[in-house]
Amino acid sequence: IVEWLEKKFPEPSMKSSATLDISKIFPAFRAFVNHSDKETYTAMLETLKPVEAALGEVKGPLFGGERIDFVDAQLAPRLYHIMVMSYNKGFGFPSDMPNIWRYMGYVQLLEAWNKVDYGPAKIIQGWSVPH
């Protein structure tokens, strides 16, 4: 998708210099939503530790600096779902991940985010059916 976007709409670029592997986050999140126990919650949070560390090293509020890049476009919605469902399942989201909190706070202020944010109620509704 990014290659097509870069050819069709080269500016602003969606390419990312971040090398963060986020492939384990969604499967761990899905397991947590389906089982909602301490074990799956802890396993899900483990997948976020590299994200927390990487966000502490970025130059700017986003992986793309001041603009959303490919990593941000993939990561922010996943983190949003994780935060909403962690509270919905009675666990909350830990305060010892300040970089993720800061990141999501910034993302949620973006005009582009607000144009497509369907809110926590829809997230909860969407995850109420086992996946």
Side-chain angles (χ1 to χ4, degrees):
I1 293 174
V2 173
E3 288 177 26
W4 181 86
L5 285 171
E6 289 298 315
K7 287 178 185 173
K8 192 81 171 163
F9 307 100
E11 293 297 325
S13 177
M14 287 293 288
K15 287 184 180 178
S16 181
S17 60
T19 58
L20 185 65
D21 178 12
I22 61 172
S23 64
K24 295 178 183 170
I25 294 172
F26 188 76
F29 168 67
R30 188 174 57 229
F32 166 67
V33 169
N34 288 336
H35 301 287
S36 302
D37 56 32
K38 184 73 173 166
E39 183 179 320
T40 57
Y41 175 71
T42 302
M44 178 187 66
L45 293 180
E46 283 296 313
T47 69
L48 298 180
K49 287 183 178 179
V51 174
E52 175 67 18
L55 283 169
E57 297 176 11
V58 297
K59 293 175 175 42
L62 302 165
F63 282 101
E66 295 294 325
R67 61 169 182 74
I68 290 177
D69 70 7
F70 181 65
V71 171
D72 295 309
Q74 288 186 80
L75 183 63
R78 290 177 178 156
L79 291 175
Y80 186 44
H81 281 237
I82 288 169
M83 292 175 123
V84 167
M85 292 307 293
S86 292
Y87 280 98
N88 180 257
K89 298 291 185 175
F91 287 89
F93 193 81
S95 60
D96 65 350
M97 294 193 173
N99 296 324
I100 290 177
W101 278 104
R102 185 172 40 255
Y103 175 80
M104 287 306 298
Y106 184 83
V107 166
Q108 290 175 329
L109 293 175
L110 296 173
E111 182 182 348
W113 178 270
N114 286 293
K115 286 182 177 180
V116 297
D117 179 12
Y118 35 81
K122 288 289 185 189
I123 292 171
I124 293 166
Q125 179 185 11
W127 286 106
S128 65
V129 177
H131 291 81

